[in-house]
Amino acid sequence: MKRVHMKIKALMLALLVFSGTLPAPVQAIIARAEEPVKISYQAFNNPTAWSDKQADDSLYTAPEGTYMTGFQAELLNQPQNIAGGLAYQVEVGGTGWTEWTAGSVMAGRTEGDAPVTAFRARLTDGLSSLYDVCYTVQQNGAWTPWVRNDEGTAGQEGSGLKITGIRMTIVTKGAAIPGEKAAVQGIDPNRPMIALTFDDGPHAPVTNRILDSLEANGGRATFFMVGNRVTGKANKAAVARMAALGCEVANHTYEHKAITKLGAEGIKSQLARANDSIRLAGGVSPVLMRPPGGAKSDAAMKTVGSMGMSAVLWSIDTLDWKTKNKQKTIDAVIGHVKDGDIVLMHDLYGTTADAAEVIIPKLKEMGFQLVTVSELASYRGGIQPGKVYSRFRP
């Protein structure tokens, strides 16, 4: 009898949700109980072809010398009991705005060389009361401010400037946009900045000590994580905390395999599986990767670039994995670091946390801003898919 009553209650609840009589906060709780609603999108670039489908919150940049002329997108994991969809439109240079388009239908064109110059998107019906679609585009070498729903336009309308990149995400109604954290926390482009990076984690006992020090000193770092280590409650919570603090979650392959020893499909599998693990834990899909051991090749980088990702090496190697010595790790950084450096450490060892707890406040005292790799790159010439970076000098 108890099971019958439970089934009746479930049916009544479903009817209330379907009819829209439940308050929006209750509907949101129900929606969040399922897989998170996400977006997948792709661009047609003149004169090449359609890009690969991009995961939610992925930063996509068109291959060098190309630009967007067409666009299409679709929603993933939409709750069956919530009506609505995703609509979008583009301004095509010389012809104006297209009609609002939905359901994986292209906006823009695949023929001719007229560029997409501005972009808008919105959610409709019940979805619009539970979620926001947020987006930014790359135009004239810079990323535009984030736009939420159709409250504005990404790109300079009527300017004729070409869009060469796009990034989109779905968030719960009113939630913070992951990509806005840098702007909220503030960076002074006229002051020196460096990027601390940590490989091979997460390892919660060490990772959280590093995060404690970053949080206490108003700093951020980039964590290049091995996908198969993003397991267990504690490690997943550490990844979620990274993202919440504005740190950058990044990819170090799924099994710490040298990409130079893998074919294209093997590389794609390692990166995609790691991205999935990290996104499910932290809510953000990485756009940067670090090849294990720093091993790279032209062929491997071509594959990395085809996934819209860039490779990041380092300019200062602390060798903390080898020495496992607090003072040697400190000495490798303090007195050697310069504006624009990328510092390599590993959040697997207690001695690295010991050193980081000294290094982080000391660098702040020395006048350095502790930023993520992507933040550093954004003020020092940008970053392109398939390219390799080890520092970003002023």
Side-chain angles (χ1 to χ4, degrees), residues 17 45 48 76 100 123 130 144 155 167 184 206 212 220 251-252 277 286 295 334 359 362 370 373 377:
V17 173
N45 299 305
T48 53
L76 306 176
W100 284 96
L123 297 172
L130 302 179
T144 65
R167 182 176 183 179
V184 171
V206 174
D212 287 343
R220 297 178 292 284
N251 190 317
H252 201 37
S277 296
I334 305 301
I359 291 169
K362 182 62 176 178
L370 303 183
V373 172

Side-chain angles (χ1 to χ4, degrees), residues 361-386:
K362 182 62 176 178
L363 289 173
K364 179 182 178 182
E365 180 185 322
M366 294 168 64
F368 287 105
Q369 299 176 94
L370 303 183
V371 300
T372 69
V373 172
S374 287
E375 289 169 348
L376 179 59
S378 71
Y379 289 96
R380 301 290 172 77
I383 197 165
Q384 296 291 327

Side-chain angles (χ1 to χ4, degrees), residues 59-132:
L59 187 154
Y60 173 72
T61 306
E64 188 172 356
T66 70
Y67 54 88
M68 190 165 79
T69 63
F71 173 86
Q72 60 189 32
E74 62 180 333
L75 289 178
L76 306 176
N77 308 324
Q78 180 173 346
Q80 294 183 357
N81 51 9
I82 305 297
L86 170 72
Y88 43 89
Q89 63 177 166
V90 300
E91 184 194 47
V92 178
T95 62
W97 287 95
T98 64
E99 297 293 328
W100 284 96
T101 304
S104 299
V105 176
M106 183 187 68
R109 58 186 65 176
T110 58
E111 298 179 356
D113 57 4
V116 170
T117 55
F119 178 85
R120 295 183 189 131
R122 66 188 182 195
L123 297 172
T124 60
D125 299 329
L127 278 173
S128 66
S129 65
L130 302 179
Y131 300 95
D132 293 326

Side-chain angles (χ1 to χ4, degrees), residues 119-200:
F119 178 85
R120 295 183 189 131
R122 66 188 182 195
L123 297 172
T124 60
D125 299 329
L127 278 173
S128 66
S129 65
L130 302 179
Y131 300 95
D132 293 326
V133 57
C134 309
Y135 48 95
T136 174
V137 301
Q138 185 184 57
Q139 190 174 63
N140 202 27
W143 288 90
T144 65
W146 282 86
V147 178
R148 190 182 293 263
N149 305 315
D150 54 354
E151 297 169 2
T153 298
Q156 296 184 39
E157 184 176 353
S159 66
L161 295 174
K162 301 169 182 176
I163 289 180
T164 53
I166 188 166
R167 182 176 183 179
M168 302 186 72
T169 187
I170 301 289
V171 299
T172 53
K173 195 69 181 178
I177 305 170
E180 279 190 323
K181 288 189 174 69
V184 171
Q185 299 196 32
I187 297 173
D188 183 349
N190 298 312
R191 289 176 50 213
M193 61 186 84
I194 61 172
L196 298 179
T197 67
F198 298 88
D199 283 12
D200 294 351

Side-chain angles (χ1 to χ4, degrees), residues 261-279:
K261 297 181 179 179
L262 301 172
E265 292 307 311
I267 294 172
K268 289 180 180 180
S269 174
Q270 284 288 312
L271 295 179
R273 293 172 69 192
N275 271 2
D276 287 344
S277 296
I278 294 166
R279 176 179 55 80

Side-chain angles (χ1 to χ4, degrees), residues 303-331:
T303 301
V304 170
S306 74
M307 299 181 71
M309 302 186 77
S310 309
V312 177
L313 298 182
W314 52 86
S315 51
I316 292 182
D317 186 351
T318 63
L319 297 177
D320 61 330
W321 62 273
K322 184 176 182 179
T323 66
K324 296 185 178 66
N325 182 284
K326 170 185 173 181
Q327 193 57 49
K328 287 184 178 180
T329 301
I330 294 170
D331 292 343

